[in-house]
């Protein structure tokens, strides 16, 4: 039996979990309840968590093994499992990554084995803006017109991290040969089954996708934009306004997310992310 109670945040996506203290080991039954909530609701919010990086990492490890980010320059010193997302500059240097996440994506989708989920902890946030917007890709898939579902059947999308980075992040240091070697182009099914509940989801992103296999780049970008326009409609979306101490676990297998704009010059936003390893996306028809 789990001690957690869940309250839905919108019709299709998001649940708030109450009854958890992430500064201490979480019971197995509660971890199982969180895993089911992620499969069904994609986003789980846990408020009021005053946790250290060590406690954040220990909790995240209860969900799976953790990834180190390819951009190791944005990891917390001494804690390579924590990826810092922040606009703050200290000693003339950005303490974290910011910029790549203002478009919808799921984390590490460009890897052979993309992340299963991320655990995001808010340390500082702004009064205005700086929300994170989430989209349910299972609800979006279910609502797609039948002819679009048919078009997508059996299709794969080519995710190309280096191709994207080189056009989008001209302001960031060039990737080293070693970094590039870690992220070759990779094809994933555009509709994937969730390993926990079997529900199909779109597995797409506003970034990194170069084309659909067997479709040229220009046509691919046109269709991709069309599908994403539909998928990011308000009925599939939850926008979270952050408060310090909020933790959100998001499921990268059935959702996308992006950061919303805020005054990056005049205010501070500091978030810590751990990224839980996942398995290769697959599609299986459920009987
Ligand atoms: C991320 C991300 C969004 C945000 O850390 O993976 O996309 O709101 N963050 O900062
Ligand atoms: Mn992200």
């Amino acid at each position: 039996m789990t001690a957690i109670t869940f309250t839905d945040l919108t019709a299709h996506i998001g649940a708030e979990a109450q009854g958890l203290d992430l500064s201490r080991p979480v019971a197995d039954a509660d971890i199982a309840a969180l895993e089911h909530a992620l499969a069904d609701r994609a986003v789980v919010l846990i408020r009021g968590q005053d946790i250290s990086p060590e406690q954040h990492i220990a909790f995240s490890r209860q969900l799976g093994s953790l990834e180190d980010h390819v951009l190791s320059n944005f990891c917390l010193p001494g804690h390579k499992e924590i990826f810092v997302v922040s606009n703050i500059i200290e000693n003339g240097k950005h303490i974290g990554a910011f910029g790549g996440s203002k478009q919808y994506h799921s984390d590490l989708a460009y890897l052979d084995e993309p992340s299963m989920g991320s655990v995001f902890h808010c340390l500082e946030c702004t009064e205005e803006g700086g929300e994170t917007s989430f989209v349910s890709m299972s609800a979006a898939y279910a609502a797609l017109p039948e002819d679009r579902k048919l078009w997508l059947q059996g299709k794969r999308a080519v995710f190309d991290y280096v191709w994207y980075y080189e056009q989008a992040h001209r302001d960031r240091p060039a990737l080293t040969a070693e970094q590039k070697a870690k992220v070759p182009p990779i094809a994933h099914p555009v509709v994937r089954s969730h390993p926990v509940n079997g529900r199909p989801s779109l597995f797409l992103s506003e970034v990194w996708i170069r084309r659909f296999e067997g479709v040229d780049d220009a046509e691919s970008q046109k269709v991709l934009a069309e599908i994403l326009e539909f998928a990011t409609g308000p009925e599939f979306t939850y926008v979270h306004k952050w408060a310090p101490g909020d933790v959100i676990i998001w499921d990268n297998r059935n959702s996308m997310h992006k950061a919303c704009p805020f005054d990056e010059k005049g205010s501070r936003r500091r978030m810590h992310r751990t990224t839980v390893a996942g398995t290769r996306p697959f599609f299986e028809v459920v009987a």
Side-chain angles (χ1 to χ4, degrees):
M1 267 291 282
T2 177
I4 313 176
T5 55
F6 292 97
T7 312
D8 288 351
L9 296 168
T10 71
H12 290 301
I13 178 170
E16 178 170 351
Q18 270 163 325
L20 276 166
D21 174 359
L22 303 185
S23 70
R24 294 192 299 201
V26 174
D28 290 348
D30 293 345
I31 293 293
L34 287 172
E35 285 166 349
H36 283 278
L38 285 170
D40 295 340
R41 308 292 309 170
V43 168
V44 173
L45 165 66
I46 309 159
R47 296 189 204 264
Q49 303 298 312
D50 180 15
I51 49 171
S52 65
E54 289 80 7
Q55 289 164 338
H56 182 172
I57 291 168
F59 167 65
S60 306
R61 286 223 167 98
Q62 290 199 265
L63 298 168
S65 58
L66 303 185
E67 300 274 3
D68 307 339
H69 202 275
V70 59
L71 302 177
S72 54
N73 39 327
F74 293 135
C75 292
L76 191 67
H79 296 285
K80 62 181 181 353
E81 301 86 350
I82 291 191
F83 185 63
V84 180
V85 177
S86 181
N87 65 318
I88 298 171
I89 296 175
E90 275 170 11
N91 305 321
K93 262 183 60 190
H94 280 277
I95 64 164
F98 202 97
S101 56
K102 282 179 203 142
Q103 285 169 292
Y104 277 117
H105 63 281
S106 62
D107 296 326
L108 312 188
Y110 47 78
L111 295 184
D112 186 36
E113 297 188 330
S115 160
M116 70 81 101
S118 301
V119 183
F120 209 49
H121 182 215
C122 174
L123 294 115
E124 284 183 71
C125 54
T126 63
E127 290 289 314
E128 297 271 321
E131 301 90 348
T132 305
S133 184
F134 298 93
V135 170
S136 168
M137 293 295 257
S138 54
Y141 176 72
L144 273 180
E146 284 307 315
D147 59 338
R148 189 47 92 196
K149 285 186 182 162
L150 267 178
W151 191 90
L152 288 169
Q153 211 170 64
K155 280 247 177 359
R156 304 203 307 167
V158 179
F159 290 72
D160 190 336
Y161 184 90
V162 175
W163 165 80
Y164 180 75
Y165 189 101
E166 287 180 346
Q167 56 179 356
H169 298 310
R170 291 179 207 277
D171 53 328
R172 289 190 185 172
L175 293 174
T176 62
E178 198 191 337
Q179 282 174 318
K180 286 186 187 180
K182 285 188 185 154
V183 283
I186 176 85
H188 289 308
V190 296
V191 183
R192 70 182 292 189
S193 303
H194 199 289
V196 173
N197 63 6
R199 262 173 92 185
S201 286
L202 288 168
F203 191 59
L204 293 173
S205 163
E206 285 183 348
V207 295
W208 308 316
I209 293 180
R210 189 163 185 170
R211 60 186 167 80
F212 297 104
E213 271 182 351
V215 183
D216 70 40
D217 283 23
E219 176 69 8
S220 293
Q221 293 301 326
K222 199 180 120 229
V223 176
L224 179 64
E226 225 175 87
I227 297 173
L228 290 175
E229 162 92 29
F230 175 86
T232 55
E235 65 274 42
F236 311 123
T237 303
Y238 169 65
V239 180
H240 185 66
K241 177 79 197 150
W242 293 97
D246 285 354
V247 168
I248 282 188
I249 315 169
W250 65 71
D251 192 320
N252 285 310
R253 300 164 295 187
N254 57 11
S255 66
M256 298 190 295
H257 59 273
K258 69 171 180 183
C260 301
F262 66 98
D263 174 12
E264 285 178 51
K265 295 269 174 332
S267 59
R268 294 165 64 92
R269 183 179 193 264
R270 187 160 56 105
M271 321 290 253
H272 283 175
R273 183 184 105 196
T274 53
T275 321
V276 183
T279 49
R280 186 185 278 253
F282 64 91
F283 176 71
E284 206 169 71
V285 179
V286 273

